[in-house]
Amino acid sequence: MLSQLKISFKFYTILFSTLLIIGILTNIANGSILSLFSAFCAVLYVFFAGAGKMICFIFGILYSMSYIYIAYELKLYGDVMLNLFYLPINIYGIYNWKNNQNKEKTKIIITKLKNNQRLIYALITIVSTIIYAYILKNMNANFVYLNSFAVIGQLIAFYMQVKRYMESYFLVTLANISSLIIWFLIFEQSKESIAQLLNTLVFFIIGIYYFFIWKKQAQ
């Protein structure tokens, strides 16, 4: 277990600085405690996942459970269903990463897709986004098309991350752009959602950073 926490001082400095900034800004904006807790779990997940540490899935489970309630209250039904899918995938992620670690068992072995696989994932993402947007529209959900792409993109990217593909961070970055637009529009109406807006911004920045890290380490 301790090997999962052995990461550089720089890593923890950036991590705790990020948590501190989100905590302070959420307090200033009188954000909700649940939203802050969810944001903290999300940040911990993305940092440890990017570092290839299996412990990330524990925070992923906590994030999904808390965010399901938040998204339901805001009628982001796509996000609700996304995180319901996330719960079992997080558990599968623990199993898969545990069996695909380096010799020192300190981090996972990262791989990359072949060109034909990339095309298949791209087509699946596009078609699924169109179909899911139609479903959300009939459910009277908010931000139908943005939410549809954000959900499908994140779901497929998360599966790719569990399978240790570096391309997961490219797709999740595109999905995070869609989520950023959604949460910015929500933030304009309700300042209490600042933690989720900041959380999504962190997702976006970390996604870009770890894409290059995973690309360098991919085998």
Side-chain angles (χ1 to χ4, degrees):
M1 185 65 176
L2 290 177
S3 64
Q4 292 293 307
L5 301 176
K6 289 183 179 179
I7 314 176
S8 68
F9 177 76
K10 178 182 177 181
F11 172 89
Y12 283 109
T13 300
I14 298 174
L15 171 59
F16 287 120
S17 297
T18 301
L19 294 174
L20 181 62
I21 292 171
I22 291 176
I24 291 174
L25 293 178
T26 300
N27 182 62
I28 292 174
N30 294 318
S32 69
I33 297 298
L34 179 61
S35 182
L36 181 61
F37 172 78
S38 181
F40 274 5
C41 289
V43 170
L44 289 166
Y45 168 78
V46 294
F47 269 82
F48 283 105
K53 298 296 184 178
M54 193 168 54
I55 194 175
C56 70
F57 293 111
I58 302 300
F59 297 114
I61 292 171
L62 293 174
Y63 166 71
S64 292
M65 293 175 66
S66 57
Y67 188 71
I68 285 171
Y69 179 80
I70 294 171
Y72 180 79
E73 289 291 301
L74 294 170
K75 292 187 177 181
L76 295 175
Y77 300 133
D79 282 5
V80 172
M81 287 182 275
L82 171 67
N83 281 274
L84 286 173
F85 282 125
Y86 273 177
L87 288 173
I89 297 177
N90 270 295
I91 297 173
Y92 172 67
I94 295 174
Y95 169 80
N96 191 47
W97 281 28
K98 183 178 180 180
N99 292 295
N100 290 281
Q101 299 181 88
N102 56 14
K103 293 181 179 179
E104 295 77 22
K105 296 188 180 299
T106 55
K107 66 182 302 183
I108 58 166
I109 299 171
I110 299 168
T111 60
K112 57 184 177 182
L113 294 169
K114 297 177 181 178
N115 289 332
N116 64 324
Q117 291 177 306
R118 291 174 181 174
L119 179 60
I120 292 172
Y121 273 103
L123 290 174
I124 291 174
T125 302
I126 293 171
V127 173
S128 298
T129 296
I130 295 172
I131 295 173
Y132 196 49
Y134 176 77
I135 295 173
L136 291 177
K137 188 175 182 179
N138 288 327
M139 294 176 65
N140 197 32
N142 293 329
F143 312 107
V144 173
Y145 295 101
L146 287 171
N147 197 202
S148 178
F149 177 70
V151 168
I152 295 299
Q154 290 177 47
L155 178 60
I156 295 176
F158 186 50
Y159 175 77
M160 292 166 67
Q161 186 179 66
V162 168
K163 301 297 288 185
R164 299 166 290 109
Y165 293 131
M166 70 161 191
E167 289 84 357
S168 63
Y169 278 103
F170 176 78
L171 179 56
V172 82
T173 296
L174 296 180
N176 283 334
I177 292 174
S178 185
S179 293
L180 266 175
I181 296 173
I182 291 173
W183 282 109
F184 179 76
L185 294 173
I186 293 175
F187 174 72
E188 286 188 320
Q189 301 175 8
S190 174
K191 304 304 179 185
E192 289 187 357
S193 63
I194 187 172
Q196 293 303 324
L197 175 62
L198 294 172
N199 167 41
T200 306
L201 179 60
V202 170
F203 271 24
F204 174 69
I205 296 172
I206 295 301
I208 295 175
Y209 173 75
Y210 277 121
F211 169 72
F212 290 104
I213 296 297
W214 277 41
K215 183 178 180 181
K216 183 178 179 181
Q217 297 178 358
Q219 296 183 9

